[in-house]
Amino acid sequence: MKIIRSVSAMKKWGELNGGDCGFVPTLGALHDGHVSLIRRARKENRKVAVSVFVNPLQFGRRQYLLYPRDIKGDAEIALKAGADVLFAPSARDIYNPGFEGRIILPQLFRTLQSQRLEWHFKGVLVVVMKLFQIVRPGRAYFGLKDPHQLALIEKMAADFDVPVVIRKCPTVRERGGLARSSRNALLTADERRAARVIYKALMIGKNELKKAGVARALAEMKKTISSEKTARIEHMEIVDPLTLSPLDGRSKEALIFAAVSIGGKRLTDNVRFRLAR
Ligand code: PAF
């Protein structure tokens, strides 16, 4: 496996291999969730590229500095999972001085209900668009773990005619249900155990939604999460996964999303399922 650090070298690789390449963009600290994306990309493409880039545009300064970084470990994992190239650029090379590109999707941004999230996803869209231009993949692989990110990236690719197929891949979970995430590396053993409450609450929410509707489902989820001392709810919602808007008579599926801080570390998870009508 080749490790490419510079944007110009990666562009050359992209020009030669891009169309026939499966791409897995990541923030690094690779875990089983990423491995499942890389393996799927390996099955479906001639070449596989993985990027590791902690994007300063999508994090506050503290979170940016705290984000776990382990390029050596990432390279080993990516190689074992079947990547041909690991692209690990510097922030200065991705965003040259004076860079001010922005992408705005007003309708979807309105559903995010928080300026902080809107700011975060603006940063995500910019970097994903840049990575698509550099790597030029035929297919790109994203986990269903972040449904807002997925909906925004799909819309961006469609609106800007980016010639990439977005592949949506299931969330990989630890025993006990905790969704795999690079942030789990920041949790103590006790916090990791406490974090299981998120998936438990989502399952309760799913059950209650079917039986008793949205308000009751949210109330029961809140009760479940509040039973865990170190957990603080940041955001919870039940929406249509396609529009990210409240469920209505046309919704075929429901998405229950929770962002919960465990010992000050923000974790997110969701379940998506068909509605019986
Ligand atoms: O989900 C992630 O890992 C990141 O948001 C992404 C898509 C790599 C952009 O930095």
Side-chain angles (χ1 to χ4, degrees):
M1 187 188 68
K2 230 174 160 166
I3 298 185
I4 297 184
R5 296 263 181 192
S6 91
V7 168
S8 59
M10 193 65 209
K11 275 185 179 160
K12 278 192 197 126
W13 188 92
E15 272 162 28
L16 285 175
N17 303 288
D20 219 350
C21 152
F23 177 44
V24 182
T26 82
L27 294 159
L30 300 186
H31 51 70
D32 286 357
H34 298 113
V35 168
S36 77
L37 301 181
I38 301 169
R39 288 206 180 123
R40 178 148 173 213
R42 180 72 280 162
K43 279 199 195 121
E44 298 179 353
N45 303 276
R46 198 173 60 84
K47 295 280 180 185
V48 175
V50 175
S51 66
V52 167
F53 179 62
V54 183
N55 174 28
L57 291 197
Q58 72 186 74
F59 293 114
R61 183 152 176 77
R62 188 165 171 271
Q63 263 193 319
Y64 176 70
L65 293 174
L66 273 180
Y67 206 89
R69 288 167 173 84
D70 174 16
I71 193 68
K72 210 165 146 250
D74 288 345
E76 274 166 30
I77 293 171
L79 170 70
K80 221 159 135 202
D84 297 296
V85 163
L86 185 80
F87 177 43
S90 68
R92 195 182 289 214
D93 204 9
I94 288 282
Y95 302 117
N96 46 37
F99 177 86
E100 57 172 0
R102 291 293 177 270
I103 291 165
I104 296 165
L105 300 172
Q107 188 73 29
L108 277 184
F109 279 170
R110 255 195 293 283
T111 64
L112 295 174
Q113 295 169 15
S114 121
Q115 288 206 331
R116 202 181 70 77
L117 272 185
E118 183 174 325
W119 177 87
H120 165 80
F121 284 119
K122 275 184 182 156
V124 170
L125 290 182
V126 166
V127 80
V128 171
M129 181 62 115
K130 284 199 67 114
L131 290 169
F132 282 169
Q133 303 302 326
I134 295 166
V135 181
R136 298 172 181 240
R139 298 186 185 92
Y141 296 77
F142 293 91
L144 281 161
K145 179 172 174 296
D146 195 336
H148 303 90
Q149 171 168 286
L150 200 52
L152 286 158
I153 290 172
E154 282 193 297
K155 183 79 166 57
M156 174 185 77
D159 284 4
F160 289 96
D161 302 302
V162 183
V164 63
V165 175
I166 307 292
R167 291 278 204 236
K168 297 177 247 207
C169 308
T171 302
V172 177
R173 299 182 182 281
E174 296 183 359
R175 274 173 67 194
L178 177 63
R180 297 265 182 201
S181 159
S182 305
R183 299 232 179 115
N184 295 357
L186 302 172
L187 301 171
T188 63
D190 280 350
E191 287 168 348
R192 213 174 184 113
R193 188 199 44 73
R196 291 180 184 169
V197 77
I198 305 171
Y199 187 59
K200 185 174 163 198
L202 289 169
M203 289 295 109
I204 289 172
K206 179 175 171 183
N207 210 19
E208 287 299 324
L209 180 71
K210 288 179 179 167
K211 280 195 330 220
V214 171
R216 179 68 188 274
L218 288 171
E220 288 301 316
M221 286 171 65
K222 200 168 163 192
K223 207 159 93 191
T224 307
I225 291 173
S226 309
S227 69
E228 191 58 66
K229 268 203 290 278
T230 50
R232 194 172 52 75
I233 297 168
E234 290 198 3
H235 181 65
M236 255 171 17
E237 65 184 15
I238 299 182
V239 292
D240 182 314
L242 296 181
T243 59
L244 301 181
S245 297
L247 298 176
D248 62 27
R250 285 163 301 175
S251 303
K252 293 198 170 61
E253 283 183 285
L255 171 77
I256 308 185
F257 175 84
V260 177
S261 140
I262 302 281
K265 289 126 205 163
R266 186 175 194 270
L267 301 176
T268 63
D269 198 359
N270 70 88
V271 286
R272 180 175 168 159
F273 52 94
R274 287 196 74 75
L275 290 167
R277 294 255 181 235

